[in-house]
Amino acid sequence: MARERQIILDTETTGLYADRGDRMLEFAGIEMKKRQLTMNNLHLYIHPDRDIPEEAAAVHGITLEQLEERNAPKFEQVGRQIADFLRGAELIIHNARFDVGFLTQALGTRGLLDRGARVPRVCTMEWARHFMTTPSRRLTTCCEVAGVEIGRHHNALDVALAAAGLLRHY
């Protein structure tokens, strides 16, 4: 059974592998209660304390220089804020395995994640298999089929808003 409070979220990262040293650069979470947006959102740029490979920057457009210009905090400075924001919520994520891997790595290594606790989550990519007949479950395809607007595809806030739109559409 779904919880009363959901957080629709997305992250942008330095690469694809949380277990190989890649890190979060951007976190966006949008709160819903009873399928209604609450306007209680959390959007952060995070300094990865490492380089950002050119191929990753080409995807999401975030560079180390931009993060430094913004005085983006390191994860150690915002990890508790993210953990508190997520606590008790059901997470809704397009391609949940990817983002949950990064959250688990970042929160878990800093003692901000209860070991053994199962975080309830819904993957809208998996969920789309039941509601859409298109062969692709990419977010852009799902949004096109559902008539949901998506801003920049590799911007965590725009992706979270698009996933929220998909959820509200069905």
Side-chain angles (χ1 to χ4, degrees):
M1 184 169 140
R3 293 185 180 196
E4 180 179 309
R5 181 173 175 261
Q6 295 88 29
I7 301 294
I8 300 94
L9 70 87
D10 188 56
T11 64
E12 295 301 331
T13 66
T14 61
L16 301 174
Y17 306 102
D19 60 347
R20 296 185 200 165
D22 286 321
R23 299 201 181 128
M24 266 191 277
L25 301 171
E26 184 183 14
F27 171 89
I30 299 169
E31 182 184 67
M32 289 179 77
K33 288 187 177 177
K34 298 181 181 180
R35 295 224 181 199
Q36 298 298 315
L37 297 173
T38 67
M39 303 311 289
N40 181 24
N41 303 331
L42 180 62
H43 182 220
L44 301 166
Y45 286 95
I46 304 164
H47 192 292
D49 204 23
R50 61 155 286 179
D51 68 316
I52 300 172
E54 287 182 28
E55 56 272 13
V59 171
H60 48 59
I62 301 170
T63 66
L64 198 55
E65 293 77 23
Q66 290 170 332
L67 294 174
E68 289 171 352
E69 285 173 11
R70 292 175 184 242
N71 291 319
K74 294 183 181 179
F75 193 86
E76 291 77 14
Q77 297 168 286
V78 296
R80 169 85 46 211
Q81 183 180 8
I82 293 171
D84 290 346
F85 183 72
L86 298 177
R87 189 165 290 111
E90 174 182 48
L91 305 183
I92 300 173
I93 311 165
H94 200 81
N95 193 6
R97 183 182 305 181
F98 179 82
D99 296 285
V100 167
F102 276 89
L103 286 166
T104 300
Q105 187 279 334
L107 296 171
T109 58
R110 290 164 181 85
L112 299 172
L113 186 67
D114 296 333
R115 293 285 181 206
R118 187 187 177 293
V119 178
R121 66 179 185 243
V122 172
C123 179
T124 56
M125 191 165 70
E126 293 298 321
W127 169 82
R129 292 187 207 289
H130 303 288
F131 294 100
M132 302 184 132
T133 58
T134 60
S136 171
R137 302 298 181 253
R138 292 177 42 121
L139 183 63
T140 51
T141 303
C142 292
C143 287
E144 286 172 11
V145 169
V148 172
E149 187 175 322
I150 184 171
R152 293 176 294 153
H153 182 258
H154 286 283
N155 170 276
L157 186 58
D158 286 350
V159 170
L161 286 166
L166 279 178
L167 182 68
R168 295 177 75 208
H169 181 78
Y170 285 98

